[in-house]
Structure formats: structure tokens, C-alpha cells
Amino acid sequence: MDHPNARLRRARLPLVAACSAALAISLTACSQPVPIDPADEASSPDCAAVVVRLPDVLAKGTGEEQAERETNAQGTGAWGSPASVLLRCGVEPPGPTTDRCVTVNGVDWIIDETDAPNYRFTTYGRTPAVEVLVDNDVVSGTTAITELSSAVSVIPSETECTSVDDATTAPGTDG
């Protein structure tokens, strides 16, 4: 004859095992938020409008797919594990520059390649500005800004990139 406590322990064993398995699965499914310093204007309504439009996946179907990750700061986004694309909305808008500027889906981006293969893309002509850091060894910077441009385009454009040639042949110049 079994002791009453022994029967109770055996009856609880499947429940304990099931709870342990559920806990293990939930812990492995969780990942730490990506730490990002928020920009000065990260709490602006324009940044909120950008963040709610960010895609769940970047580079979908390219073999470079980067899933969205949780971040620890307002006005930010991150993709990849480890994070290979970081977005910060609310950075100081850049002034006129001779750095390369490209237009992607109606959004002008200044490209900083000084830390290649890590590239910094900053919107030009939008306040607040959006900055995107891309590890180009993991995902194409062009792909990343192409897929982020629709979200960023909710911030109205105030001005656009011009080339040195445009500036020298503008009306009122002797060029």
C-alpha cells in the first residue's frame, strides 16, 4: 500500500514536467531588447508615426531576411539577430553637405561610408530626421533603406538633395 503523499507526488509529476517544459520554451523564445540610445526628438508625433509603420521583416525573400527586434527606446527600430539594421528617429536634421545623397522612393538619404562596411543613412530635408545604421556585410544598405522609405515618408519633406552641378547652374548664378 502506497503512502498517501507518494500518490500525491506521482499525480503532480506530469503537471510539474509540463510547467517546466512550458517555461523552457517561453525563455528560449524571449530575447533581450536591443539597446539603442534614443535621439533628442524621439518622442515627437512624427517619430511615432514612423515607428508604427516599420516592417516586421527587412529584405524579405532575398536570403538576407532580418526579423524585427524589440528595442529599449522610443522612436527606434532594429532588425536581425544579432541586430544588423538599427533605426533612430528624431536625430538632428543634417545641413547642406557634399556627402553622397540618393533618393529612394521619394526619400532623400545622405550616405556616410566612413565606417564601411557599416553604413549610416540619414534622411535629408525632413524634420525630425531618421538615421539608419546598416551592417552591409549582413544585409544590403540599399535594400534596407528601400524598405524603410515608405515608413519614413510620413515625415513631410521640406527640401531635397541637390548636386554641385545643380547649384552652379541655378537661376541667378553665372554658371
Side-chain angles (χ1 to χ4, degrees), residues 46-126:
D46 285 327
C47 287
V50 169
V51 170
V52 299
R53 289 170 173 79
L54 293 176
D56 294 336
V57 176
L58 288 178
K60 193 170 188 174
T62 65
E64 304 174 333
E65 281 190 12
Q66 305 295 305
E68 186 176 26
R69 301 266 310 275
E70 181 183 350
T71 64
N72 68 340
Q74 188 171 1
T76 63
W79 294 263
S81 187
S84 58
V85 179
L86 303 174
L87 177 142
R88 291 187 333 138
C89 182
V91 299
E92 180 72 25
T97 182
T98 56
D99 290 344
R100 186 163 62 121
C101 188
V102 297
T103 303
V104 178
N105 296 336
V107 177
D108 290 343
W109 297 91
I110 295 172
I111 305 170
D112 178 353
E113 301 170 300
T114 57
D115 193 26
N118 298 309
Y119 297 116
R120 179 185 315 271
F121 299 88
T122 308
T123 57
Y124 182 78
R126 295 172 192 269

